[in-house]
Amino acid sequence: MTTQDPPPVFQFTRINGHPEQAISVADRGFAYGDGLFETMLYDNGDVPLLARHLARMVSCAARMGITLDEPTVRTEVGAIVTDLRNHAIATARIKLTATRGQGGQASYPAFDLKPTLVVDAQPHTPENEPTAVAAITSPVLLPNIAMLAGIKHLNRLPYILGAQCAGRNNGQEVFFLDQQHRLIESMHHNIFF
């Protein structure tokens, strides 16, 4: 692919082991943000650090009371990887999402729910990383919920609002602070001191 070629257009999605594109409106992930995700790079037939991604996903799901079977999750990611290989896709972004499933009354989930597992692959075009980026600090402070620390949960509203601020201010990067105004993380880049 040359620099003038448009990125490939594709999307491979599996929901609970089947090639599908839609999730039920009754799913708790859709209705309440009751779930978590993991984003992985597919690069020329391989998913770097796959074992670590899956271990974190299963571990964080367990902390949320969602039971995921790691071999099943690995099989579903493997099916998407096979699709990417069969279509000669060089690079892609694979997003693995698990929700608590369907059921319960409003904020009270039932205890015997079957999780929903979504594996989705879409184009990823590696960008040339600039040597410096413009940055702004989000006026939206991240909530301090120790129980959710380290979990990439589906409720991303503070990040979405922060990204909107960046768009309005033409910022390339957004820094997020906690409730005590301490630097926690950035939207896209790693921070090293």
Side-chain angles (χ1 to χ4, degrees):
M1 183 165 67
T2 67
T3 55
Q4 288 91 8
D5 291 338
V9 177
F10 65 86
Q11 181 177 10
F12 301 107
T13 305
R14 294 177 63 83
I15 301 174
N16 293 330
H18 303 286
E20 293 184 39
Q21 294 286 325
I23 191 165
S24 170
V25 295
D27 191 274
R28 296 187 63 80
F30 171 78
Y32 303 103
D34 190 0
L36 66 161
F37 72 96
E38 191 76 22
T39 306
M40 302 168 278
L41 172 68
Y42 168 84
D43 185 28
N44 293 302
D46 187 35
V47 179
L49 306 173
L50 178 60
R52 288 185 182 184
H53 283 293
L54 298 183
R56 179 167 62 180
M57 182 77 170
V58 170
S59 170
C60 288
R63 286 175 51 200
M64 292 179 65
I66 299 171
T67 303
L68 293 180
D69 175 58
E70 187 169 335
T72 299
V73 177
R74 182 179 295 277
T75 298
E76 289 305 303
V77 171
I80 290 290
V81 167
T82 298
D83 286 341
L84 293 167
R85 286 179 184 149
N86 289 343
H87 288 83
I89 304 295
T91 60
R93 176 189 57 82
I94 298 175
K95 185 172 182 182
L96 176 60
T97 305
T99 76
R100 195 173 305 277
Q102 298 180 38
Q105 295 291 319
S107 295
Y108 299 96
F111 291 104
D112 58 348
L113 299 181
K114 180 183 178 205
T116 299
L117 183 64
V118 180
V119 186
D120 180 66
Q122 295 191 18
H124 169 75
T125 52
E127 301 171 13
N128 293 327
E129 288 292 328
T131 56
V133 295
I136 67 166
T137 301
S138 171
V140 180
L141 301 177
L142 295 180
N144 185 7
I145 305 172
M147 196 172 179
L148 295 177
I151 297 176
K152 296 172 92 172
H153 53 85
L154 294 183
N155 189 332
R156 308 304 285 175
L157 195 53
Y159 298 92
I160 293 166
L161 295 173
Q164 285 180 330
C165 292
R168 286 195 294 267
N169 293 300
N170 295 318
Q172 291 180 309
E173 183 56 276
V174 182
F175 290 137
F176 289 94
L177 309 177
D178 67 7
Q179 297 293 313
Q180 289 74 40
H181 295 269
R182 295 177 294 212
L183 179 62
I184 298 298
E185 62 187 336
S186 72
M187 180 76 79
H188 301 289
H189 294 83
N190 293 316
I191 304 170
F192 294 95
F193 290 97

